[in-house]
């Protein structure tokens, strides 16, 4: 592994959106403050839709809570998950992978999301993805994360978050 501040050669954007990382979201358990996961409900096995039932599961204290998308006619957009910011989109809980960096909050949903952020930030050359999708997750990153002047601090913060994974 390279020391923080070294620059990898190249990053090619795979045009993934933030919701692509919602398969498992690591959060702080509201009961014990330990690491918990939000995953698709096992009853919805095989469904990849973002609005299927979700379940909060904490291995530390055993807490489980279910979330189900509202199915009320005319509720277009109300109470549906919003994929942005340092809270997870279903229950509104604090993300496990979040840290103060340069006076702001750097966050990720899970290890895969964190790896993508590290690859992007540490790259010396960043290439846009090819395809019809516009505004991928990395294109929507705040300027302070993209700024090469902040690279060392952001990579260091990402690596500190990696140490918290169990």
């Amino acid at each position: 592994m390279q020391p923080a501040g070294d620059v990898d050669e190249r990053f090619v954007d795979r045009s993934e959106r933030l919701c692509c990382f919602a398969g498992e979201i690591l959060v702080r358990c509201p009961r014990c403050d330990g690491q918990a996961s939000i995953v698709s409900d096992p009853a919805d096995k095989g469904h990849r839709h973002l609005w299927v039932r979700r379940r909060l599961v904490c291995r530390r204290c055993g807490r489980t809570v279910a979330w189900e998308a509202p199915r009320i006619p005319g509720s277009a957009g109300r109470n549906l998950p919003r994929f942005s910011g340092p809270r997870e989109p279903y229950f509104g809980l604090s993300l496990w992978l979040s840290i103060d960096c340069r006076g702001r909050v750097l966050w990720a949903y899970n290890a895969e999301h964190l790896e993508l952020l590290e690859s992007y930030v540490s790259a010396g050359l960043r290439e846009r993805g090819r395809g019809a999708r516009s505004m991928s997750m990395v294109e929507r990153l705040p300027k302070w994360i993209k700024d090469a002047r902040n690279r060392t601090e952001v990579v260091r913060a990402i690596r500190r978050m990696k140490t918290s994974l169990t």
Side-chain angles (χ1 to χ4, degrees), residues 13-18 20-21 112 116 133 136-138:
D13 188 357
R14 299 181 306 219
S15 300
E16 294 171 301
R17 295 184 182 258
L18 181 57
C20 293
F21 298 96
E112 181 185 8
L116 182 101
R133 285 187 172 177
S136 70
M137 190 266 309
V138 295

Side-chain angles (χ1 to χ4, degrees), residues 11-51:
F11 174 89
V12 178
D13 188 357
R14 299 181 306 219
S15 300
E16 294 171 301
R17 295 184 182 258
L18 181 57
C19 60
C20 293
F21 298 96
E24 177 186 31
I25 302 174
L26 303 176
V27 296
R28 296 198 174 279
C29 176
R31 180 187 288 163
C32 71
D33 203 40
Q35 181 179 319
S37 297
I38 296 176
V39 295
S40 297
D41 191 302
D44 287 332
K45 187 176 181 181
H47 294 278
R48 294 194 47 107
H49 195 273
L50 294 172
W51 319 130

Side-chain angles (χ1 to χ4, degrees), residues 13-145:
D13 188 357
R14 299 181 306 219
S15 300
E16 294 171 301
R17 295 184 182 258
L18 181 57
C19 60
C20 293
F21 298 96
E24 177 186 31
I25 302 174
L26 303 176
V27 296
R28 296 198 174 279
C29 176
R31 180 187 288 163
C32 71
D33 203 40
Q35 181 179 319
S37 297
I38 296 176
V39 295
S40 297
D41 191 302
D44 287 332
K45 187 176 181 181
H47 294 278
R48 294 194 47 107
H49 195 273
L50 294 172
W51 319 130
V52 298
R53 289 179 292 206
R54 298 287 172 148
R55 184 173 302 262
L56 166 72
V57 179
C58 181
R59 291 188 184 122
R60 185 174 176 192
C61 71
R63 181 174 178 110
T64 60
V65 179
W67 177 90
E68 188 167 342
R71 299 179 193 271
I72 303 166
S75 69
R78 272 190 308 216
N79 299 324
L80 290 178
R82 297 185 193 277
F83 293 91
S84 67
R87 293 200 163 287
E88 59 78 27
Y90 299 100
F91 296 93
L93 298 173
S94 297
L95 294 172
W96 182 259
L97 297 171
S98 66
I99 193 169
D100 288 331
C101 180
R102 300 205 43 87
R104 295 175 176 94
V105 178
L106 180 63
W107 54 271
Y109 283 165
N110 52 42
E112 181 185 8
H113 186 191
L114 203 55
E115 285 294 328
L116 182 101
L117 288 173
E118 183 177 28
S119 296
Y120 177 80
V121 172
S122 62
L125 177 63
R126 299 169 182 164
E127 294 182 24
R128 285 186 163 208
R130 304 190 200 293
R133 285 187 172 177
S134 65
M135 293 304 288
S136 70
M137 190 266 309
V138 295
E139 289 178 296
R140 292 175 183 251
L141 287 172
K143 286 183 182 181
W144 69 271
I145 293 175

Side-chain angles (χ1 to χ4, degrees), residues 147-158:
D147 193 334
R149 292 175 292 185
N150 299 330
R151 179 178 286 135
T152 301
E153 287 180 73
V154 174
V155 169
R156 198 175 293 141
I158 289 170

